Amino acid sequence: MERLSSFGWARRARRWIVLALGAGALAAMQWAVAQAPDAEAAASKAEQARLADTDTLLALTNDGAILYAQDSIKLSGYQYCSQAVALAEAGEFRQSVRAASKALHLANTTRDPNLLAMANRDLAIVYSYSGQLDKAEEFAREALKHPARDPKLVVGPAYKVIGDVQTRRGDYAIAVTSYDTALANSSQRYAPLVQASLVNALIESGDAPRARQLLGTLPPPREASLAAQLDRTRARLLLAENKPAEARDLYRQLTLRQAGVDSGYFQLWAWDGVAQSDLALGDKQAAAEAVGHALGDVDGVRAKFRSEEFKMGLFSDLQTVFERGVGLYSDIGDTRRAFEVSERSRSRALLDAVRGRARVSEEAAATVDLATLQRTLRPDERVVQFHSLPERLQVWVVSPTDIRATSIPIKRDDLNEAVETFRNSVVRGRRAAIANADKLGAALLGPLRLAAGERLIIVPHGPLHYLPFQALRLDGRYVIETHPVSVAPSMSIAVRLAQRSPQVDAVLTAFGNPRIEDKYDLPGAEAEVRQLAKSFPRNSVYMGAAATKTQFREVASRAPLLHVAAHAEADQVDPLYSRILLANENGQHNFLEAQEILGLPMQGNALVTLSACESGLGRIEKGDEVLGFTRSFLSAGTSTLIASLWPVSDDATEILMSTLYAELAKGKDIQLAMQAGQLAVLKEPRMSHPFFWAPFNLIGNWRLKVGAPG
């Protein structure tokens, strides 16, 4: 295979690198492309530049200056700090970062070291809450560099964040040391929270005696929620002391505990504790029944961010309860229930991501049972649903008449590494991508006994959301050569979408190369849109300055086919703030955020193609993809989405998209049209590497057809 063409790659790279905010990353990218003779080296340098420029101290300070200038009412730096803390505890992570950024800007402007320490402390807290552990530790250590008027307001919280990060990484012994330092430098009011976190770290590190001693010194919390969390810790300690019967008794008492409006939440965790106790006693059947109680009322439990858990070092994640259910039901042979619990986990992940901050319709959050799914499938269609567990990968293959369960012995950490290795080899154009595709295909799909020609609807989980299944290989051939492939965030969503819009009018609405400023210019995107419009005489095209957010909101809901060739940015702190950059309006940058997309009436829209680099990447929580553009459009009512997993080549995208739309215009369904488009690129000798032909995923309604152009 010949090496990748750096010329074609470099043109498209300009679309990719502006995912990083700020001119620094763009300049680094332009330097990389100019200096590196091949795509692999350029891609690597560009990737490093982009990641280095995202949410850094300098970038946030610059953002803070812009945001502060835009505020009609100016607050003091310390007021912005208070705002940042309140927003973080409410789960508004990106808004919290913005408030802290304004405090950071003012601290630098006024040269106030105390404000600088406080702003960095608050950034450490919000990044910890949002799961960005490296950033959290970075800002905590930065806070410690600056002298504070009252060190206990900075040193204690900063070291607690560091301890929290280490706990979540599994470095419990080191976390204990950090919590000890935090405790020695905490105010009297803050110390009990540090002590509670320390107790939980001691339990995890195996030091039950010290945990027991320290737990006995903690004063009873005044807040009911904190008291409930502390009782959970007492039960956890009994399990750590190898007293499962006593732990089960205490957990059962907690299932009856009333703790205000969130009683259902704490009772859910109590039942999960009963399940863990039963497992420790060797009774899987009883444990499965307890998990059934835990998940029985999960839909009635409020989706909200609970900062008190972070304050006490518990870091609860409802997905772990679903995981326990999937594992237990699989172990006792209840395949149907294991599959349905997996499906319910995906709906809950969406609700937990949104947490009432944006509209999610009941239909978008609903789940279907196995029987309903099977009635929907056609004889040649197979659903392949994955669920990544800590110690194994659970897979179900569903046909209209049966369901086959397979357990693949690959740990989640090993799966993460395998997916990352494969993606890196593809994105960097390495020959090793072929061998990696063979290896991963044999591991993930080989045991499933899939027959050639079957249409595959893949429901990924965890790191598999980043995996192009069409680029895996079985028996020496790419999957796309033997199977049409599509993806769905959940099977419930796919079933709902497959029943809608079986065929739509061939009317294209396209947005291309929105005018922002020179560094964001996308001439290839403009050419792409003009080429696609030739397949659909009935079209509305918005280019340059006309490709605005106002125009998008006006036409999107009634556009059967919507194509967007623009920049996209996935927000890793808060996926609701992932955004598509559209043309400036009134002299200001404008963009469409995921939270706004959720609120758009998109039921009249059958297909959205996001011809933007990495537009398909949402944020991966422990357990699953939770949001991003995919969930936003599909939840808003869009039937089908095409989005990319890595930076794309102009030349390859032009071939793929023109073939896909031409096949759609001829009356082929979109799954076959996508297969044709990818094969058309694959058959080009200079583009046979998966980097060129495999970046786009077809998501949602795989049966969509388009009427002949009129």
Side-chain angles (χ1 to χ4, degrees):
M1 188 196 78
E2 64 184 42
R3 298 184 67 83
L4 303 184
S5 163
S6 60
F7 173 71
W9 181 89
R11 285 190 295 135
R12 197 67 169 200
R14 291 184 178 86
R15 181 184 304 186
W16 171 31
I17 196 56
V18 293
L19 290 174
L21 296 178
L26 181 64
M29 171 64 195
Q30 291 169 335
W31 180 90
V33 171
Q35 299 296 318
D38 60 86
E40 180 184 327
S44 178
K45 290 178 183 293
E47 186 176 19
Q48 292 170 12
R50 184 189 64 160
L51 294 176
D53 199 56
T54 304
D55 281 3
T56 61
L57 193 61
L58 176 61
L60 290 175
T61 303
N62 292 338
D63 288 347
I66 296 169
L67 293 166
Y68 180 74
Q70 293 173 348
D71 276 357
S72 55
I73 299 176
K74 312 289 192 211
L75 303 180
S76 72
Y78 293 99
Q79 286 173 316
Y80 283 122
C81 281
S82 297
Q83 194 179 76
V85 172
L87 287 165
E89 295 195 350
E92 288 285 356
F93 303 139
R94 177 51 67 186
Q95 297 286 45
S96 174
V97 168
R98 289 173 179 173
S101 296
K102 287 182 270 190
L104 202 60
H105 158 66
L106 290 173
N108 282 285
T109 301
T110 60
R111 298 186 179 181
D112 182 346
N114 184 64
L115 181 56
L116 206 53
M118 301 279 277
N120 278 284
R121 176 204 67 183
D122 295 342
L123 285 167
I125 291 170
V126 68
Y127 280 109
S128 175
Y129 283 1
S130 69
Q132 303 298 294
L133 303 186
D134 290 344
K135 294 288 184 186
E137 183 173 7
E138 175 187 332
F139 285 110
R141 296 196 184 280
E142 182 67 28
L144 294 169
K145 294 178 183 178
H146 304 285
R149 283 198 293 268
D150 184 352
K152 290 186 176 181
L153 295 180
V154 173
V155 178
Y159 271 107
K160 184 183 184 302
V161 167
I162 293 170
D164 290 346
V165 167
Q166 291 162 341
T167 296
R168 295 168 78 185
R169 287 175 178 157
D171 299 328
Y172 302 116
I174 301 175
V176 167
T177 301
S178 297
Y179 286 137
D180 279 331
T181 305
L183 189 57
N185 293 277
S186 290
S187 65
Q188 187 175 358
R189 183 167 174 262
Y190 192 67
L193 298 178
V194 179
Q195 289 174 313
S197 296
L198 177 55
V199 168
N200 281 297
L202 287 166
I203 290 171
E204 295 292 350
S205 70
D207 193 349
R210 188 184 172 202
R212 171 66 65 187
Q213 180 272 325
L214 185 58
L215 190 59
T217 68
L218 289 179
R222 294 180 181 179
E223 298 177 36
S225 59
L226 293 178
Q229 304 289 10
L230 198 57
D231 283 338
R232 279 177 59 194
T233 296
R234 290 191 174 94
R236 290 180 70 231
L237 179 55
L238 287 169
L239 272 178
E241 292 172 330
N242 198 26
K243 300 175 182 177
E246 292 181 43
R248 182 180 59 186
D249 290 343
L250 179 53
Y251 276 125
R252 283 193 174 275
Q253 292 175 30
L254 297 179
T255 65
L256 305 174
R257 173 86 168 269
Q258 295 298 314
V261 293
D262 278 333
S263 292
Y265 179 77
F266 298 113
Q267 289 166 0
L268 180 155
W269 283 107
W271 277 114
D272 183 63
V274 173
Q276 292 181 66
S277 303
D278 284 328
L279 274 175
L281 290 165
D283 193 341
K284 283 190 176 182
Q285 188 66 47
E289 291 173 8
V291 166
H293 283 295
L295 296 176
D297 297 323
V298 69
D299 295 337
V301 172
R302 289 194 305 164
K304 57 176 283 192
F305 176 73
R306 291 174 167 81
S307 62
E308 68 270 8
E309 295 189 335
F310 283 78
K311 292 175 181 178
M312 302 190 78
L314 279 169
F315 316 115
S316 302
D317 181 352
L318 281 182
Q319 289 297 320
T320 62
V321 187
F322 287 104
E323 284 178 6
R324 213 177 316 281
V326 169
L328 279 167
Y329 293 133
S330 297
D331 287 346
I332 66 174
D334 194 340
T335 300
R336 177 193 61 79
R337 200 166 184 186
F339 176 85
E340 291 176 354
V341 167
S342 172
E343 190 62 23
R344 288 178 69 194
S345 76
R346 299 161 203 271
S347 170
R348 183 67 202 205
L350 172 63
L351 295 176
D352 285 338
V354 175
R355 298 192 299 271
R357 298 176 297 150
R359 182 187 65 84
V360 176
S361 67
E362 290 184 11
E363 184 182 49
T367 58
V368 300
D369 58 23
L370 178 61
T372 301
L373 165 59
Q374 289 180 309
R375 285 195 298 272
T376 306
L377 293 178
R378 294 173 181 168
D380 64 341
E381 294 173 342
R382 297 292 181 270
V383 170
V384 182
Q385 180 153 313
F386 294 88
H387 204 110
S388 174
L389 301 176
E391 299 299 319
R392 68 182 191 262
L393 180 65
Q394 199 67 35
V395 194
W396 301 271
V397 178
V398 184
S399 76
T401 57
D402 71 350
I403 177 171
R404 300 196 313 267
T406 303
S407 181
I408 298 175
I410 180 171
K411 294 181 178 180
R412 181 184 292 149
D413 289 346
D414 294 337
L415 182 62
N416 281 328
E417 184 177 346
V419 171
E420 184 177 357
T421 297
F422 177 60
R423 276 181 55 85
N424 285 341
S425 65
V426 171
V427 174
R428 296 176 182 181
R430 292 177 175 170
R431 288 189 177 93
I434 313 303
N436 290 337
D438 283 318
K439 183 177 179 181
L440 209 50
L444 301 184
L445 301 180
L448 306 185
R449 308 191 309 276
L450 300 171
E454 289 176 340
R455 290 174 176 254
L456 304 183
I457 303 99
I458 306 288
V459 182
H461 192 259
L464 298 180
H465 283 283
Y466 288 169
L467 185 65
F469 280 86
Q470 59 271 16
L472 300 185
R473 288 166 63 88
L474 283 171
D475 301 321
R477 302 184 72 188
Y478 288 110
V479 168
I480 198 62
E481 295 182 273
T482 54
H483 299 274
V485 178
S486 63
V487 175
S490 80
M491 204 53 241
S492 298
I493 286 179
V495 167
R496 173 171 55 84
L497 296 176
Q499 294 170 339
R500 180 194 296 164
S501 306
Q503 185 159 331
V504 297
D505 291 338
V507 179
L508 177 70
T509 302
F511 288 73
N513 193 18
R515 177 59 187 165
I516 303 168
E517 53 186 283
D518 288 347
K519 68 179 181 180
Y520 292 98
D521 196 37
L522 298 172
E526 191 163 333
E528 173 185 312
V529 167
R530 296 197 186 284
Q531 180 65 31
L532 296 179
K534 294 178 182 178
S535 295
F536 296 89
R538 296 163 60 193
N539 66 69
S540 299
V541 174
Y542 303 93
M543 294 287 196
T548 64
K549 174 179 171 180
T550 299
Q551 192 65 61
F552 186 97
R553 292 177 65 93
E554 183 177 326
V555 303
S557 62
R558 60 176 186 271
L561 307 176
L562 181 61
H563 188 93
V564 182
H567 297 295
E569 298 170 353
D571 194 312
Q572 295 300 308
V573 172
D574 191 333
L576 281 181
Y577 289 88
S578 296
R579 59 196 189 177
I580 298 168
L581 277 63
L582 294 171
N584 294 350
E585 296 186 67
N586 302 318
Q588 293 189 341
H589 288 185
N590 217 337
F591 35 78
L592 185 69
E593 293 179 337
Q595 60 177 342
E596 298 175 283
I597 295 168
L598 276 168
L600 292 177
M602 300 291 288
Q603 286 78 11
N605 173 259
L607 171 64
V608 171
T609 299
L610 295 180
S611 186
C613 294
E614 296 180 319
S615 54
L617 299 189
R619 168 174 158 184
I620 300 291
E621 281 287 334
K622 179 184 177 184
D624 202 13
E625 173 262 357
V626 296
L627 202 60
F629 299 117
T630 300
R631 284 286 196 141
S632 297
F633 277 108
L634 297 184
S635 297
T638 295
S639 177
T640 310
L641 185 73
I642 294 174
S644 62
L645 290 170
W646 59 76
V648 292
S649 155
D650 269 341
D651 297 338
T653 300
E654 183 177 341
I655 295 172
L656 190 152
M657 292 297 174
S658 60
T659 303
L660 184 152
Y661 279 95
E663 294 298 309
L664 276 179
K666 293 175 185 175
K668 273 193 178 179
D669 67 63
I670 195 163
Q671 197 182 44
L672 291 176
M674 173 60 89
Q675 183 186 35
Q678 291 175 329
L679 290 177
V681 181
L682 172 61
K683 290 174 182 176
E684 290 284 334
R686 65 190 180 92
M687 298 182 185
S688 61
H689 192 278
F691 168 82
F692 290 104
W693 60 264
F696 288 100
N697 266 349
L698 170 63
I699 308 164
N701 180 10
W702 65 96
R703 296 178 183 161
L704 179 70
K705 288 187 176 183
V706 174

